[in-house]
């Protein structure tokens, strides 16, 4: 099944606009399925967001695309190995009650230091 950016794009979505290049970001990786850029307000020495190009609201919706969800995890691991020592914490805030503020699914990758329990 073909999925294009245009089919899955929301013109009012901040991360769709970053993906389209309308809003600048510090990209550290990109491929056909995801982009990875540095979080504006880092909470660890390395704090990047792995963002599927397709617009899905959260990881519950992304789970309908298991290969894309798996690719998101694979890229998170690659970036943690490239930018830090390879260990990382992967977080999907899901829903406002869990602190999600941007409703385009993204995985937070936190790495590059000793991450305390309960941090982020
Ligand atoms: P959430 O709270 O939805 O899980 O995460 C959204 C994240 O996006 C936050 O950590 C926030 O710092 C980051 N963020 C919000 N706006 C921007 C932006 O314009 N550029 C970048 N690089 N990060 C952003
Ligand atoms: Zn979007």
């Amino acid at each position: 099944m073909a999925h294009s950016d245009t089919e899955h794009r929301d013109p009012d979505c901040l991360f769709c606009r970053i993906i389209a290049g309308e809003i600048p970001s510090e990209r550290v990786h990109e491929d056909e399925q995801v982009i990875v850029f540095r979080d504006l307000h880092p909470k660890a020495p390395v704090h990047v967001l792995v963002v599927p190009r397709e617009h899905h609201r959260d990881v519950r919706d992304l789970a309908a695309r298991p290969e894309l969800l798996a690719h998101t995890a694979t890229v998170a691991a690659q970036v943690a190995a490239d930018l830090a020592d390879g260990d990382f914490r992967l977080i999907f805030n899901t829903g406002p009650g869990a602190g999600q503020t941007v409703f385009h699914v993204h995985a937070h990758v936190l790495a590059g230091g000793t991450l305390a329990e309960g941090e982020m």
Side-chain angles (χ1 to χ4, degrees):
M1 199 181 355
H3 290 267
S4 76
D5 283 353
T6 44
E7 277 176 318
H8 287 272
R9 193 174 163 210
D10 175 349
D12 297 325
C13 169
L14 174 64
F15 284 179
C16 282
R17 297 189 67 199
I18 286 178
I19 290 162
E22 294 167 11
I23 295 170
S25 66
E26 196 183 328
R27 293 187 190 202
V28 298
H29 170 90
E30 60 187 298
D31 61 35
E32 286 184 357
Q33 298 174 78
V34 300
I35 74 166
V36 185
F37 54 86
R38 291 190 191 272
D39 196 290
L40 208 51
H41 303 291
K43 299 215 166 93
V46 173
H47 183 177
V48 299
L49 305 173
V50 183
V51 186
R53 291 181 183 272
E54 289 180 12
H55 181 96
H56 297 278
R57 180 179 174 82
D58 60 33
V59 73
R60 291 177 288 224
D61 288 357
L62 184 61
R65 301 267 288 115
E67 288 176 12
L68 185 52
L69 177 56
H71 185 67
T72 300
T74 300
V75 169
Q78 283 168 358
V79 169
D82 288 348
L83 301 182
D85 67 3
D87 290 352
F88 62 100
R89 183 169 291 167
L90 190 62
I91 296 171
F92 289 94
N93 293 326
T94 306
Q100 187 177 7
T101 59
V102 178
F103 293 91
H104 179 134
V105 66
H106 52 279
H108 294 259
V109 179
L110 299 159
T114 307
L115 303 169
E117 279 301 317
E119 202 181 321
M120 172 82 201

